[in-house]
Amino acid sequence: MMPSYVQGWEKIWHYVLRVIAGLVLFYLIFPIFVIVPLSFNALPYFVFTEEMLSLDPAGYSLQWYKDFFTDINWQTAVKNSVIISLFSTLLATFLGTLAALGLSRSYLPFRRAIMAMLISPMIVPLIISAAAMFFFYSSINLQGTYVGVILAHTALATPFVVITVTATLSNFDYSLVRASHSLGASPTTTFFRIIVPIIFPGVISGALFAFITSFDEVVVILFVGSYEQHTIPWQMFSGIRERISPTILAVATILIFLSILLLLATELLRRRTERLRGITGV
């Protein structure tokens, strides 16, 4: 509700701003969610049929979801995606958290330069990173292996952990650390009983971003991986090129709702982090 002192033109701008925000949200979200009803199409088409538009139950089917859960290629892709994403997330979370803790020290020289290098995988065009990784991993016989793909995805996911944990540490109260030391706690005890509980929500948020980054990645794995490591995005990309099937829409719908769940979890963790830092109104 607007305050009582808001004047006429401010009220108009308030509602105009809401309309603009709604249009931007519609522009961003609508193309994504339009595939959800199409994934229930009874016919192997990528358009709305007359039966679907008339809400005739005969126009809808779960057969593409059944194909996804029964096809051996899709199930292998799911297994590879889960394995690669989990190991990449664990590595990226470990490395990213260590890097963020080091960057939080005010006496560390060249902090900005190191930070720029760490987040460079987010800035460099993905095709360039993929080509470079292909030549590098080929030279050490890791191209076409699970280890090579996991390391490549770790390099892409680590910057997200660094940024998230660094943001959590930006307002960290180091007087708590000094108080812990003054009471006789060792550095290890202080780290696990003071620092880790406070930054834990940020670490989990970074891990979720790292998982999404690895789970959705398709360019790098086309260069670094082989068919044995084909993931869900790889399978979808191959399906679009070789055999177009609405099963792709069913998979896309599942991934959309999985992403929404992960983003909701991230938001809940962010709010918990703000509460731990004493910030109200979140």
Side-chain angles (χ1 to χ4, degrees):
M1 181 178 294
M2 285 183 291
S4 57
Y5 56 80
V6 174
Q7 299 179 359
W9 66 271
E10 291 177 323
K11 291 182 179 179
I12 296 174
W13 173 244
H14 173 77
Y15 290 113
V16 170
L17 187 61
R18 287 196 170 195
V19 172
I20 294 174
L23 290 174
V24 172
L25 185 64
F26 178 81
Y27 171 75
L28 294 175
I29 300 299
F30 181 75
I32 298 175
F33 280 96
V34 75
I35 66 172
V36 175
L38 284 175
S39 67
F40 296 98
N41 195 342
L43 299 176
Y45 302 144
F46 283 71
V47 296
F48 289 99
T49 60
E50 293 184 2
E51 290 81 2
M52 294 186 72
L53 294 175
S54 61
L55 300 181
D56 183 353
Y60 295 88
S61 172
L62 293 174
Q63 69 178 91
W64 312 118
Y65 290 89
K66 181 181 177 182
D67 287 349
F68 170 68
F69 287 108
T70 57
D71 187 275
I72 185 64
N73 289 324
W74 282 110
Q75 292 310 300
T76 303
V78 171
K79 184 190 72 173
N80 287 336
S81 289
V82 172
I83 291 174
I84 293 170
S85 299
L86 281 180
F87 281 101
S88 299
T89 300
L90 290 175
L91 277 174
T93 303
F94 177 71
L95 297 175
T97 302
L98 287 181
L101 288 171
L103 290 169
S104 67
R105 307 296 181 182
S106 58
Y107 52 81
L108 181 71
F110 309 111
R111 290 171 58 195
R112 293 183 182 277
I114 296 173
M115 185 68 175
M117 290 178 61
L118 287 175
I119 65 173
S120 60
M122 299 174 62
I123 303 170
V124 177
L126 204 52
I127 190 70
I128 296 176
S129 299
M133 289 177 181
F134 169 77
F135 291 113
F136 176 72
Y137 289 126
S138 296
S139 65
I140 56 176
N141 297 322
L142 286 181
Q143 195 279 332
T145 65
Y146 280 98
V147 175
V149 175
I150 289 171
L151 291 177
H153 279 195
T154 300
L156 297 178
T158 299
F160 292 93
V161 182
V162 173
I163 291 175
T164 307
V165 180
T166 300
T168 305
L169 288 167
S170 61
N171 294 320
F172 184 80
D173 186 2
Y174 282 96
S175 63
L176 297 174
V177 177
R178 290 191 291 272
S180 176
H181 289 163
S182 68
L183 294 173
S186 66
T188 304
T189 302
T190 301
F191 176 74
F192 284 105
R193 302 194 64 175
I194 302 296
I195 299 177
V196 170
I198 294 178
I199 68 171
F200 186 71
V203 174
I204 297 300
S205 297
L208 290 175
F209 279 117
F211 182 84
I212 294 174
T213 300
S214 175
F215 201 81
D216 291 344
E217 202 287 323
V218 65
V219 177
V220 169
I221 196 170
L222 287 174
F223 280 77
V224 179
S226 65
Y227 185 76
E228 291 183 359
Q229 296 91 40
H230 77 282
T231 57
I232 293 177
W234 175 314
Q235 186 69 21
M236 295 176 71
F237 186 72
S238 301
I240 291 174
R241 289 190 309 168
E242 299 167 2
R243 186 174 65 89
I244 297 179
S245 166
T247 306
I248 297 172
L249 300 179
V251 178
T253 301
I254 293 172
L255 293 180
I256 287 173
F257 285 102
L258 176 63
S259 299
I260 291 174
L261 289 176
L262 292 177
L263 289 175
L264 287 176
T266 303
E267 176 61 18
L268 292 175
L269 288 170
R270 185 193 68 81
R271 295 192 176 204
R272 184 176 183 274
T273 303
E274 299 297 333
R275 283 198 299 271
L276 288 175
R277 289 161 57 184
I279 299 176
T280 59
V282 294

